[in-house]
Amino acid sequence: MRHNKKVNHLGRTKAHREAMLANMASSLIKHKRIFTTTAKAKSLRKYIEPLITKSKDTSVHSQRIVFSSLQDKYAVKELFTEISSKVMDRPGGYTRIIKTGLREGDNAAMCFIELVDYNENMLKTAKTRKQSTRTRRSRKKSAVDATVEAETTEGAAE
């Protein structure tokens, strides 16, 4: 039975997996987008989203907690100064996974994982979508309404 076994071990020991996720999280914070396998990206999302939530509180305690996970002071500094100010009003969902297909050599499912607020292309399309949805169109007139309107305009013209 698989009760309470939700962690994908990714074929690694616990220490190796935690070190790999910390390195991937630091790279994601520094570069805002990384290219990896889908399984690693899903594990990384579970790892980094709580860290970004902790970065909203800029206390020394939360900085030390994040540093104990990342072990990279440059990534922690960028997370608390730059990224936390951008995601302050976002309640969650700081990362986006975009699947890109299969890898040539071993047919592994590959994807991009990126920080949501840093992809200008997606932000532009979201803004244009919002503008296009705000335009309201009146409903089409039914045939009865059109004939009644035509009769009233003819009566006014005579």
Side-chain angles (χ1 to χ4, degrees):
M1 288 181 274
R2 278 187 44 90
H3 297 305
N4 237 1
K5 299 185 186 228
K6 295 183 179 179
V7 176
N8 186 353
H9 295 290
L10 301 172
R12 290 163 171 80
T13 61
K14 182 174 178 12
H16 186 187
R17 185 173 56 252
E18 286 180 355
M20 181 194 67
L21 289 174
N23 287 332
M24 289 176 68
S26 297
S27 296
L28 181 63
I29 290 168
K30 289 177 187 172
H31 302 293
K32 312 301 188 262
R33 172 193 280 189
I34 57 175
F35 187 67
T36 183
T37 62
T38 305
K40 286 180 188 174
K42 288 179 180 179
S43 294
L44 178 61
R45 180 172 45 188
K46 282 185 174 182
Y47 184 84
I48 199 166
E49 297 246 350
L51 296 179
I52 295 174
T53 303
K54 284 226 187 324
S55 74
K56 289 181 175 182
D57 176 27
T58 58
S59 66
V60 175
H61 179 65
S62 60
Q63 289 180 15
R64 287 179 176 167
I65 289 174
V66 171
F67 181 76
S68 70
S69 297
L70 291 181
Q71 295 294 318
D72 186 358
K73 66 180 179 180
Y74 300 110
V76 172
K77 182 179 179 184
E78 186 159 346
L79 179 64
F80 276 86
T81 57
E82 191 177 327
I83 295 174
S84 65
S85 61
K86 269 201 165 186
V87 298
M88 194 62 73
D89 56 340
R90 185 177 288 275
Y94 311 111
T95 57
R96 175 186 297 128
I97 294 176
I98 301 172
K99 296 181 181 177
T100 58
L102 303 174
R103 187 161 50 195
E104 185 85 18
D106 60 354
N107 215 25
M110 299 298 286
C111 67
F112 284 114
I113 182 168
E114 63 183 6
L115 296 175
V116 171
D117 293 322
Y118 284 91
N119 189 344
E120 288 83 19
N121 296 331
M122 290 287 210
L123 291 174
K124 287 178 186 175
T125 57
K127 287 179 183 176
T128 57
R129 263 192 235 133
K130 286 182 182 177
Q131 290 173 354
S132 64
T133 56
R134 289 185 183 178
T135 58
R136 295 184 182 201
R137 295 181 183 162
S138 60
R139 65 182 180 92
K140 292 182 180 179
K141 296 179 181 177
S142 64
V144 176
D145 292 339
T147 55
V148 170
E149 186 176 308
E151 289 174 3
T152 56
T153 55
E154 287 176 11
E158 292 176 1

